[in-house]
Amino acid sequence: IAGITQAPTSQILAAGRRMTLRCTQDMRHNAMYWYRQDLGLGLRLIHYSNTAGTTGKGEVPDGYSVSRANTDDFPLTLASAVPSQTSVYFCASSVREAPYNEQFFGPGTRLTVL
Amino acid sequence: DQQVKQNSPSLSVQEGRISILNCDYTNSMFDYFLWYKKYPAEGPTFLISISSIKDKNEDGRFTVFLNKSAKHLSLHIVPSQPGDSAVYFCAAIQSNAGGTSYGKLTFGQGTILTVHP
C-alpha cells in the first residue's frame, strides 16, 4: 500500500441497503476526511477525524457515519442508502489537522444508489 | 450557500498561452487558500497554496494571486501545456477558528481546463 486506498472502486446499490466505503492510509497521518463530489457543487466535507478515536461532522453529515478505531482506517457507512447519495466519494488525510499541511486524496469510490 | 465560487465551469486555452482560473469567496474569515488539480478517475492532488498574509505565491509555471479586498484569488499557468488539462478546484479554510475548523476545507465547484496542442 502506498498513500491512500479506497474500496470498492465503484458500486451500484439498491436504496435502503447498508454500505461501508473503506479507506486506508499508510502515511501515519493523524487527520482523515471524507468528501463527496457532485457536479456543480465541488467537494463537500461529510465527516472528519483529527486523530484516532475522535470524529466530527462536516458540511453534509446526514445519512452517514464514520469511525476511527486506529490511525490507518477511516470507514464511511451509509446505514440506509438513498438515491441522493449517488456521488463520487473521496477519502483524504493530512499530517495533522492544521491547514498548512496539504490533504492527500484517495482515488475515489463511485457510488450509484438506485 | 456557496462560500467559495468558481464561476467559470470550463476554460479552453491554446498550448503555450496563459491559463487564468478564478475563484471568489464570501467568508472574510478564510485566511488560507489552496488549489487542487484533478484528473479523471483520480483523486485531487495539491497544487499550490497561499496564506492571507501574502498576495502572491509562485511555484514554477503556477502562480496564485490573492486580492483580499475583493475576496478573489486566481491561478495563473504559464505556459500552459496539454498535460495541464484537468479540473481545478480552489479551496479555503479558516485556520484560526479552533478545533472545530481545523482541516475543514471549503471547495469551489471546479473549473475544467482544456489545453489544446
Side-chain angles (χ1 to χ4, degrees):
Chain A
I1 298 178
I4 298 182
T5 58
Q6 293 184 235
T9 303
S10 65
Q11 182 75 44
I12 299 174
L13 189 66
R17 297 296 296 268
R18 180 184 180 90
M19 176 74 191
T20 296
L21 308 185
R22 301 185 297 278
C23 175
T24 299
Q25 54 103 357
D26 64 354
M27 297 176 284
R28 306 303 294 171
H29 285 174
N30 289 332
M32 297 186 74
Y33 317 87
W34 274 105
Y35 294 89
R36 58 179 289 174
Q37 183 195 1
D38 302 290
L39 192 64
L41 296 175
L43 287 89
R44 293 179 294 168
L45 182 66
I46 305 171
H47 284 287
Y48 66 96
S49 169
N50 286 337
T51 189
T54 69
T55 62
K57 294 181 179 179
E59 181 183 355
V60 287
D62 294 343
Y64 306 95
S65 63
V66 292
S67 61
R68 187 87 184 278
N70 56 61
T71 298
D72 299 343
D73 301 300
F74 191 42
L76 176 74
T77 297
L78 290 68
S80 179
V82 295
S84 62
Q85 292 177 310
T86 294
S87 187
V88 181
Y89 291 86
F90 290 100
C91 179
S93 70
S94 62
V95 173
R96 62 181 188 273
E97 65 274 16
Y100 306 99
N101 294 291
E102 63 182 275
Q103 293 185 15
F104 294 84
F105 284 80
T109 293
R110 182 173 294 276
L111 181 66
T112 302
V113 182
L114 301 176
Chain B
D1 178 31
Q2 193 84 22
Q3 296 189 65
V4 178
K5 297 180 182 180
Q6 295 175 254
N7 292 317
S8 297
S10 62
L11 175 67
S12 182
V13 173
Q14 203 69 29
E15 181 178 7
R17 299 291 186 101
I18 184 172
S19 295
I20 300 176
L21 297 102
N22 294 303
C23 180
D24 298 293
Y25 61 96
T26 57
N27 187 343
S28 59
M29 300 302 291
F30 287 145
D31 59 355
Y32 197 75
F33 305 89
L34 307 90
W35 284 94
Y36 280 80
K37 175 179 179 180
K38 183 185 178 305
Y39 292 118
E42 295 183 9
T45 56
F46 171 76
L47 189 58
I48 194 170
S49 63
I50 188 166
S51 166
S52 60
I53 62 173
K54 296 184 177 180
D55 55 17
K56 177 183 174 181
N57 187 28
E58 189 173 355
D59 183 2
R61 297 186 296 114
F62 302 91
T63 302
V64 56
F65 295 92
L66 176 63
N67 183 334
K68 283 192 297 182
S69 61
K71 296 189 180 67
H72 177 83
L73 64 155
S74 60
L75 175 67
H76 293 211
I77 306 174
V78 182
S80 301
Q81 300 174 353
D84 296 329
S85 297
V87 180
Y88 289 79
F89 292 99
C90 70
I93 192 167
Q94 179 184 347
S95 65
N96 59 354
T100 59
S101 289
Y102 281 172
K104 292 168 67 174
L105 294 173
T106 300
F107 283 85
Q109 306 97 310
T111 296
I112 301 170
L113 173 65
T114 304
V115 180
H116 298 282

